[in-house]
Amino acid sequence: MILSSTLLFVPSSKWSWYHKMWSLAIASLLSMFHLFTPFFNYESLNSLMSYDSMSMLLVSLTLWISLMMMLASQHSVKISNNNPYMFSKFILVLNLILITTFLSSSSLLFYFLFEASLIPTLMLILGWGYQPERLQAGMYMMIYTVAASLPLLLTVLWATQKLYSSEMLTISSLRLHLYTVDNTWSWNFLSMLLFTAFLVKLPMFSVHLWLPKAHVEAPVAGSMILAAVLLKLGGYGILRFYQYFNFITSQMIIIMFSLAIWGGVLTSIICFRQIDLKSLIAYSSIGHMSLMLAGVFSNSSWGWSGALVLMLSHGFCSSALFALANYTYEKTHTRSLFLSKGMLMLIPSLAMWWFLFCIMNMAAPPSINLLGEIMIFPSTIFSSSYYLVSLGLMSFLAALYSMYLYTSTQHGGNPKFTKPFSQFKSSGFTLFFCTEFRGMF
């Protein structure tokens, strides 16, 4: 974090891009040392900052994905000279905001940083997006997320006034005031207000329309940070606040549970209707996050741990798929599934990475995606056996659309308009090797 912040103010020079990339690489390696610390160890840094194993895992994910973003954007930003200094500065600012969000122990500070992360992301979409529709996509993203987070702000301010403190740990004492026989409706209303902002950010089915638009119009770095980290802000908020309420369930949470499960099935079916590479990967992200929500709301330690594991694995897998879609777009100049065919004959090495990340997307071994699903499935079925059908459908459809994604891009005859091009560069191999290594181990 300190390495990244010091290089924010490096003057624009020939080596500034590589300085920032190396600082992120060193910070990413240093962040892996938390794996050797005791699990669920809680440490307070000061009155506003604290960390435990969950926040440190997501800090590590943020640093790794920021490095992957710089690697994936070298051709479109650095080599094309598309203002690389401002681009890298926005990435590092976003990096610092996200790390501080995951480390904050004050609910007010968490809320303001939660919203501040939208500004650099919007700048990435507006400044380095490809199509004129990026203005509409940015407006969708801002209106959806900001409007939905206002109830969270009101709840945090009310809790701060009630308890004379904005510390997240003190919020748990609110349940003593609310969770009684006479005030069950108050508890349901509070849980709805708290989780609305996080469910839109996640996003849950029915409040997900901003995500495919933002993904399609964003540059590769914007898509990677959206899928890997910004979506995890919603999951982190649900896990953190649900943890402080000691996993007490309510009628609203049961409704959200059912909507998330069946919404995941519907978005998996919607994937087969997509003709845009990035749109298909975006809808598959919504399906995976629905499964993560099922683990959280199953009210068990296994489901909670599985949700955290699935968040990590999805972060690496989904961002790698967006990077692969971008490399295919740079070669064929189209994202259409009907036009991007026969890549197996043109770039066999890229087809190998497509295969590896598609089987990771369907939770095949040895990915940690499989571990997350193994933990989530029993905990969800034990909470209610009625979810067995929807879980089975979601798992089957995930394998189906992952195979559909692979075969539609790699097999078949390549179009006549595709020009001969040089082989894959070493920076791309580095990106996918690092992502595969972290996604499996």
Side-chain angles (χ1 to χ4, degrees):
M1 182 175 173
I2 296 169
L3 284 168
S4 303
S5 58
T6 52
L7 283 167
L8 275 172
F9 305 104
V10 172
S12 180
S13 64
K14 184 179 178 181
W15 302 106
S16 62
W17 176 276
Y18 298 105
H19 279 161
K20 292 174 176 115
M21 195 182 291
W22 274 107
S23 71
L24 283 171
I26 294 167
S28 303
L29 284 174
L30 291 174
S31 70
M32 292 182 68
F33 283 109
H34 75 274
L35 297 174
F36 304 102
T37 58
F39 204 55
F40 291 114
N41 184 33
Y42 183 85
E43 294 288 341
S44 180
L45 298 174
N46 53 48
S47 59
L48 295 176
M49 298 284 178
S50 61
Y51 68 91
D52 61 359
S53 58
M54 180 170 68
S55 56
M56 288 309 295
L57 279 169
L58 291 171
V59 165
S60 181
L61 174 70
T62 305
L63 290 166
W64 275 94
I65 295 301
S66 300
L67 174 63
M68 301 301 117
M69 287 160 59
M70 298 281 281
L71 279 169
S73 304
Q74 276 202 114
H75 178 78
S76 57
V77 176
K78 176 74 173 64
I79 297 172
S80 304
N81 200 20
N82 191 8
N83 205 347
Y85 176 65
M86 284 304 296
F87 180 84
S88 57
K89 202 161 188 175
F90 275 128
I91 286 181
L92 291 178
V93 168
L94 181 58
N95 206 352
L96 289 173
I97 290 172
L98 289 169
I99 290 171
T100 317
T101 309
F102 290 132
L103 295 179
S104 63
S105 61
S106 166
S107 54
L108 272 176
L109 178 64
F110 173 80
Y111 173 80
F112 288 121
L113 291 170
F114 179 80
E115 291 302 307
S117 62
L118 287 173
I119 298 168
T121 313
L122 183 66
M123 291 298 107
L124 286 175
I125 293 173
L126 295 181
W128 287 270
Y130 300 120
Q131 310 295 335
E133 287 84 1
R134 63 184 185 271
L135 296 171
Q136 186 189 20
M139 184 186 70
Y140 257 63
M141 184 181 75
M142 292 298 289
I143 289 175
Y144 259 88
T145 50
V146 172
S149 64
L150 289 176
L152 174 65
L153 175 62
L154 293 175
T155 310
V156 167
L157 289 174
W158 172 76
T160 304
Q161 184 265 336
K162 191 92 173 172
L163 302 169
Y164 304 104
S165 173
S166 64
E167 284 292 312
M168 286 190 186
L169 283 172
T170 60
I171 293 177
S172 58
S173 61
L174 275 177
R175 66 188 182 90
L176 301 175
H177 299 285
L178 290 173
Y179 195 67
T180 61
V181 177
D182 298 327
N183 283 330
T184 308
W185 68 272
S186 302
W187 178 255
N188 291 330
F189 185 64
L190 178 71
S191 59
M192 185 184 70
L193 289 182
L194 269 176
F195 291 131
T196 302
F198 302 129
L199 291 174
V200 171
K201 193 86 162 185
L202 198 64
M204 187 179 73
F205 179 77
S206 74
V207 284
H208 68 282
L209 293 178
W210 65 271
L211 185 72
K213 278 183 172 292
H215 272 307
V216 168
E217 303 305 329
V220 59
S223 293
M224 287 173 76
I225 199 70
L226 265 173
V229 184
L230 291 184
L231 267 62
K232 306 306 171 289
L233 269 179
Y236 173 77
I238 290 174
L239 286 167
R240 185 61 82 197
F241 280 87
Y242 204 33
Q243 176 192 20
Y244 289 144
F245 282 119
N246 293 336
F247 302 100
I248 293 176
T249 189
S250 71
Q251 292 172 354
M252 287 306 301
I253 284 176
I254 294 169
I255 293 170
M256 293 175 199
F257 195 171
S258 303
L259 185 59
I261 288 280
W262 285 105
V265 176
L266 290 175
T267 47
S268 299
I269 296 170
I270 289 170
C271 285
F272 297 103
R273 296 281 298 167
Q274 303 307 309
I275 58 170
D276 189 293
L277 265 176
K278 291 179 81 172
S279 184
L280 195 155
I281 301 166
Y283 274 106
S284 74
S285 295
I286 301 167
H288 280 97
M289 288 299 100
S290 300
L291 198 57
M292 191 278 290
L293 268 181
V296 175
F297 292 145
S298 64
N299 239 7
S300 65
S301 58
W302 260 55
W304 193 78
S305 304
L308 182 58
V309 170
L310 197 65
M311 278 167 58
L312 286 173
S313 59
H314 172 264
F316 287 111
C317 179
S318 187
S319 59
L321 284 171
F322 278 115
L324 282 165
N326 180 66
Y327 279 121
T328 306
Y329 173 74
E330 286 177 356
K331 302 299 183 186
T332 60
H333 300 288
T334 178
R335 288 197 308 266
S336 172
L337 283 168
F338 300 130
L339 299 178
S340 304
K341 288 188 175 296
M343 298 303 290
L344 183 63
M345 298 295 293
L346 297 172
I347 320 180
S349 55
L350 194 63
M352 179 193 72
W353 292 111
W354 267 111
F355 175 74
L356 287 173
F357 285 109
C358 281
I359 64 167
M360 276 183 68
N361 200 41
M362 68 170 79
S367 66
I368 58 172
N369 212 331
L370 177 67
L371 174 65
E373 292 199 6
I374 285 173
M375 297 176 83
I376 287 172
F377 275 35
S379 58
T380 308
I381 293 166
F382 290 154
S383 63
S384 175
S385 57
Y386 292 109
Y387 295 133
L388 180 60
V389 176
S390 52
L391 282 174
L393 277 172
M394 209 185 303
S395 182
F396 173 71
L397 291 170
L400 216 58
Y401 66 66
S402 298
M403 287 192 292
Y404 167 66
L405 174 62
Y406 177 75
T407 52
S408 60
T409 54
Q410 306 305 312
H411 294 173
N414 56 304
K416 303 301 180 190
F417 64 80
T418 307
K419 296 178 182 178
F421 40 74
S422 60
Q423 279 292 53
F424 203 45
K425 294 193 175 167
S426 57
S427 60
F429 285 119
T430 308
L431 188 156
F432 295 124
F433 177 77
C434 292
T435 314
E436 183 81 15
F437 173 76
R438 288 290 285 166
M440 288 189 174
F441 305 105

